[in-house]
């Protein structure tokens, strides 16, 4: 009986050790969301236009992942139009007139052409470094908020900092002193 217990104990320790030695190239998942209902996902249902049979199947273009299709060539523009927006505003026209000064100010010290790739690599490494403890990974516990807490903004402290600097904050709630005076 004692040898069976020892064997099971060793097997359990080995299983936990192997679970902890996950591949380092795996993309860490910090957010684990699940639906608590057995029903359909209402956001997964997309109304599409009716299918049509092409006249010549040999002339169909090659499929392009993320590209358009014959049945629904402009789904985003259709959605914008259905919600009352202007689908023409989705077309890239360069820098909008009102954003030129902002872009010039933001890029005054130069910009890196590879900034998106570099940030993606740094974020992936950060998520690997902060992907939770062993039991959190085993039980799929969401550790996203804990991992990114050092980067979050304390809105009350930031609001107070701007007020002390003399900036007007008309859209923000009144200060603590003003709220204390209210009945």
């Amino acid at each position: 009986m004692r040898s069976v217990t020892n064997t099971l104990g060793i097997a359990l320790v080995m299983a936990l050790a192997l679970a902890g030695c996950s591949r380092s190239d795996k993309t860490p998942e910090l957010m684990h969301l699940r639906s608590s209902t057995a029903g359909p996902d209402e956001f997964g249902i997309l109304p599409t236009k009716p299918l049509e049979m092409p006249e010549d199947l040999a002339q169909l273009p090659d499929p392009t992942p993320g590209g358009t299709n014959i049945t629904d060539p402009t789904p985003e523009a259709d959605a914008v139009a259905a919600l009352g927006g202007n689908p023409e505003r989705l077309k890239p026209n360069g820098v909008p007139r009102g954003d030129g000064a902002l872009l010039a100010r933001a890029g005054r010290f130069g910009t890196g052409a590879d900034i998106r790739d570099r940030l993606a690599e740094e974020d992936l490494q950060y998520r690997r470094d902060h992907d939770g403890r062993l039991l959190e990974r085993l039980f799929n516990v969401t550790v996203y908020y804990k991992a990114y807490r050092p980067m979050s903004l304390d809105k009350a402290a930031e609001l107070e900092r701007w007020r002390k600097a003399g900036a007007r904050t008309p859209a923000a709630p009144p200060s603590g002193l003003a709220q204390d005076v209210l009945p």
Side-chain angles (χ1 to χ4, degrees):
M1 182 67 181
R2 187 176 189 112
S3 67
V4 172
T5 306
N6 288 343
T7 305
L8 287 175
I10 291 172
L12 180 64
V13 168
M14 296 278 291
L16 287 174
L18 287 175
C21 298
S22 61
R23 292 179 19 214
S24 63
D25 62 338
K26 181 181 160 213
T27 303
E29 292 186 31
L30 305 182
M31 184 76 73
H32 299 282
L33 301 174
R34 290 177 214 89
S35 176
S36 61
T37 64
D41 182 10
E42 60 271 12
F43 296 107
I45 301 170
L46 299 174
T48 56
K49 296 176 183 171
L51 293 176
E52 297 175 3
M53 187 67 169
E55 294 177 13
D56 185 9
L57 295 176
Q59 293 183 356
L60 287 175
D62 292 331
T64 55
T68 62
N69 64 48
I70 295 172
T71 304
D72 202 6
T74 57
E76 290 178 356
D78 294 344
V80 168
L83 294 172
N86 183 0
E88 292 296 318
R89 297 192 70 188
L90 292 176
K91 295 179 182 174
N93 300 348
V95 177
R97 195 174 338 141
D99 292 344
L102 174 67
L103 285 176
R105 178 74 177 164
R108 67 188 180 277
F109 299 120
T111 58
D114 65 336
I115 187 67
R116 290 179 188 263
D117 295 330
R118 194 175 71 196
L119 287 176
E121 290 172 13
E122 290 174 4
D123 185 59
L124 178 61
Q125 186 59 44
Y126 184 83
R127 287 184 288 139
R128 283 183 180 147
D129 294 342
H130 298 88
D131 68 341
R133 298 183 185 115
L134 175 65
L135 291 177
E136 290 172 334
R137 288 192 307 266
L138 282 175
F139 292 109
N140 290 333
V141 175
T142 297
V143 294
Y144 177 86
Y145 299 106
K146 183 174 76 171
Y148 284 101
R149 186 175 297 134
M151 296 181 193
S152 65
L153 180 68
D154 180 3
K155 59 184 177 185
E158 188 66 14
L159 178 63
E160 198 57 38
R161 182 180 76 85
W162 280 103
R163 284 182 174 159
K164 285 181 181 176
R168 294 183 57 214
T169 54
S175 67
L177 294 173
Q179 288 184 0
D180 291 340
V181 175
L182 294 173

